[in-house]
């Protein structure tokens, strides 16, 4: 399917197949990074930019999927302050309210709230490059090669950023990541 989509990138009449194949995945990625309210707009903008720049897509440099994640990540960069505010707010927020009479739900909700707070604070403490790599791997499930193509950096840069981020996250969370 990737080969047929490679041709669809260059062909304005067939570009809709690229949209259909990847829109939901890109929207979910943006929603996880920023907020679901802005995800629709930024995902649509990702495809608008991809359509306008379709002539610059080079299959030798990476997949369409990685190319789209790269565009989305750059758009998220414009909203970076909102992303950081979101992680910091989640880190400060109280645990979700528990339902009375459901002991296990109480334990589960409190544990989940603490985990979200700690993870959000840890993500906010990463550098922009480290956070981009971690979230492309975690949310986008991209390979190192795809992350390198998405961010237009060397494979070794992806590996070193991910290594540094894992160390910082391990230290902040007290768990193996």
């Amino acid at each position: 399917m990737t080969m047929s989509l490679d041709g669809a990138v260059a062909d304005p009449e067939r570009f809709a197949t690229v949209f259909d194949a990847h829109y939901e995945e890109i929207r979910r990625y943006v929603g996880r990074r920023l907020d679901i309210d802005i995800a629709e707009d930024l995902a649509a903008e990702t495809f608008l930019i991809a359509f306008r720049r379709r002539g610059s897509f080079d299959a030798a440099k990476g997949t369409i999927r990685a190319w789209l994640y790269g565009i989305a990540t750059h758009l998220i960069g414009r909203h970076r302050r909102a992303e950081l505010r979101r992680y910091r707010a989640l880190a400060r927020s109280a645990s979700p309210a528990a339902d009375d009479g459901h002991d296990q739900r109480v334990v589960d909700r409190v544990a989940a709230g603490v985990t979200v707070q700690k993870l959000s604070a840890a993500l906010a403490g990463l550098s922009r490059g480290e956070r981009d790599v971690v979230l492309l791997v975690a949310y986008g499930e991209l390979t190192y090669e795809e992350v390198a193509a998405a961010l237009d950096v060397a494979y070794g840069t992806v590996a070193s950023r991910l290594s540094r981020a894992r160390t910082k996250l391990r230290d902040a969370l007290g768990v193996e990541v």
Side-chain angles (χ1 to χ4, degrees):
M1 184 164 169
T2 300
M3 290 306 286
S4 64
L5 285 182
D6 287 350
V9 170
D11 182 357
E13 300 297 321
R14 294 179 45 220
F15 191 83
T17 59
V18 173
F19 180 89
D20 292 341
H22 298 288
Y23 176 79
E24 276 303 314
E25 182 178 2
I26 296 297
R27 185 193 57 76
R28 280 191 309 272
Y29 170 69
V30 174
R32 287 175 165 176
R33 294 281 311 259
L34 295 173
D35 189 80
I36 199 68
D37 295 333
I38 197 167
E40 296 279 339
D41 292 340
L42 283 185
E45 190 174 348
T46 297
F47 285 90
L48 179 62
I49 290 169
F51 183 78
R52 288 180 179 156
R53 296 183 185 165
R54 66 189 180 280
S56 69
F57 172 72
D58 183 358
K61 289 185 177 181
T63 64
I64 293 168
R65 182 173 177 254
W67 181 59
L68 292 169
Y69 270 99
I71 294 169
T73 299
H74 288 294
L75 288 173
I76 289 167
R78 294 183 189 164
H79 294 83
R80 185 87 47 208
R81 281 182 258 153
E83 180 185 44
L84 283 172
R85 280 194 306 270
R86 180 172 183 228
Y87 286 133
R88 288 178 181 140
L90 284 170
R92 288 188 308 268
S93 68
S95 300
D99 295 332
D100 292 335
H102 296 85
D103 293 342
Q104 188 56 47
R105 280 189 181 164
V106 171
V107 171
D108 291 346
R109 290 179 120 181
V110 169
V114 169
T115 302
V116 168
Q117 289 172 339
K118 287 177 74 173
L119 180 57
S120 296
L123 287 170
L126 298 177
S127 74
R128 178 178 128 188
E130 292 165 347
R131 190 170 41 257
D132 285 343
V133 169
V134 166
L135 296 177
L136 282 168
V137 170
Y139 289 164
E141 299 179 4
L142 271 63
T143 64
Y144 285 23
E145 292 86 3
E146 289 174 319
V147 173
L151 298 178
D152 196 24
V153 298
Y155 179 95
T157 301
V158 171
S160 64
R161 286 180 184 175
L162 192 56
S163 177
R164 283 193 308 271
R166 282 182 173 150
T167 298
K168 290 177 182 178
L169 291 171
R170 183 176 27 254
D171 292 345
L173 301 173
V175 295
E176 194 65 32
V177 288

